[in-house]
Amino acid sequence: DAGITQSPRHKVTETGTPVTLRCHQTENHRYMYWYRQDPGHGLRLIHYSYGVKDTDKGEVSDGYSVSRSKTEDFLLTLESATSSQTSVYFCAIKGLGADTQYFGPGTRLTVL
Amino acid sequence: GQQVMQIPQYQHVQEGEDFTTYCNSSTTLSNIQWYKQRPGGHPVFLIQLVKSGEVKKQKRLTFQFGEAKKNSSLHITATQTTDVGTYFCAGRSGGSNYKLTFGKGTLLTVNP
């Protein structure tokens, strides 16, 4: 795989608590993405980054924020988790010279 | 915004039968990509199509990109149990800062 790790891999939390998911890449790629995957909805883009401190919203960004202070790390934060944010979260990077995206192993988040 | 529709949502076949999934975009695409996700896994890149009318083959898999660059298909000949998984198409419109819009996927199950 493309040197992408996500942490934690599984998390159970309670409604109203803050949660931060981490995506780490060893490939020094500029573009990084956060998606959520839910049954019947496929993969939906939450936020993406096109460089250090350069981020933008995707189609389902409400309730989420991101930060990228280093090339290798892209953090996704749920400021106050809700049950509707129970999902599998995937991080991805864009390969060089193409639109190909390489996905991390995913984080399964459950909000009770 | 851009929408990518994928049909069917589910397909169950007997091993040895053929399988096809179709993808249609609401806008003209710069390129289209196909990904496969095994149960419990993460999406893995299969192929990218760029040219109008392009056809590419990977062993038993045939990928087509429509002449208008708004639709695509993936055809698997003589399915095997190893083909089980969800197949996603993903398209990018020009100037979208390398954001992909994913179809909802087709889940293929194969009865041995």
Side-chain angles (χ1 to χ4, degrees):
Chain A
D1 286 323
I4 307 169
T5 57
Q6 292 184 231
S7 58
R9 294 293 313 279
H10 302 271
K11 187 171 182 65
V12 180
T13 192
E14 294 188 350
T15 298
T17 60
V19 176
T20 296
L21 308 182
R22 179 181 183 237
C23 177
H24 179 79
Q25 59 145 330
T26 60
E27 306 290 322
N28 202 35
H29 287 295
R30 179 180 172 192
Y31 287 84
M32 298 183 75
Y33 308 83
W34 276 108
Y35 294 90
R36 60 177 290 174
Q37 185 173 38
D38 305 288
H41 291 277
L43 290 157
R44 294 181 291 175
L45 182 65
I46 305 171
H47 282 280
Y48 68 102
S49 171
Y50 46 96
V52 173
K53 298 184 180 179
D54 291 323
T55 65
D56 205 352
K57 296 178 180 180
E59 63 178 299
V60 290
S61 59
D62 287 349
Y64 301 94
S65 63
V66 290
S67 66
R68 192 165 177 204
S69 58
K70 299 184 291 183
T71 299
E72 58 266 35
D73 289 325
F74 192 30
L75 304 180
L76 177 70
T77 297
L78 292 65
E79 299 291 347
S80 178
T82 68
S83 58
S84 65
Q85 294 175 311
T86 293
S87 186
V88 178
Y89 291 86
F90 287 102
C91 173
I93 61 173
K94 186 185 91 66
L96 293 174
D99 285 321
T100 306
Q101 291 190 11
Y102 300 95
F103 286 80
T107 294
R108 183 171 296 276
L109 176 67
T110 302
V111 184
L112 301 176
Chain B
Q2 179 186 358
Q3 293 185 343
V4 175
M5 309 299 292
Q6 194 172 348
I7 58 169
Q9 190 174 359
Y10 307 98
Q11 184 77 58
H12 178 75
V13 299
Q14 289 292 126
E15 189 171 22
E17 293 181 339
D18 292 356
F19 160 77
T20 304
T21 174
Y22 301 91
C23 190
N24 286 283
S25 170
S26 59
T27 60
T28 302
L29 301 171
S30 298
N31 58 63
I32 195 158
Q33 303 175 28
W34 287 91
Y35 293 78
K36 177 182 178 181
Q37 184 178 22
R38 296 183 185 276
H42 59 276
V44 174
F45 172 77
L46 293 177
I47 206 160
Q48 176 172 280
L49 305 171
V50 179
K51 299 177 182 177
S52 170
E54 189 170 13
V55 177
K56 288 188 175 180
K57 293 189 176 184
Q58 290 181 347
K59 298 182 180 179
R60 296 178 293 104
L61 278 63
T62 301
F63 304 84
Q64 294 187 334
F65 200 11
E67 295 290 341
K69 300 184 73 174
K70 296 182 71 173
N71 57 65
S72 181
S73 65
L74 158 59
H75 179 81
I76 302 178
T77 303
T79 54
Q80 301 175 358
T81 55
T82 53
D83 295 324
V84 164
T86 300
Y87 293 85
F88 293 97
C89 62
R92 179 172 78 87
S93 297
S96 62
N97 203 14
Y98 300 111
K99 291 188 297 181
L100 296 178
T101 300
F102 281 80
K104 293 183 179 181
T106 297
L107 173 60
L108 172 65
T109 56
V110 180
N111 198 31

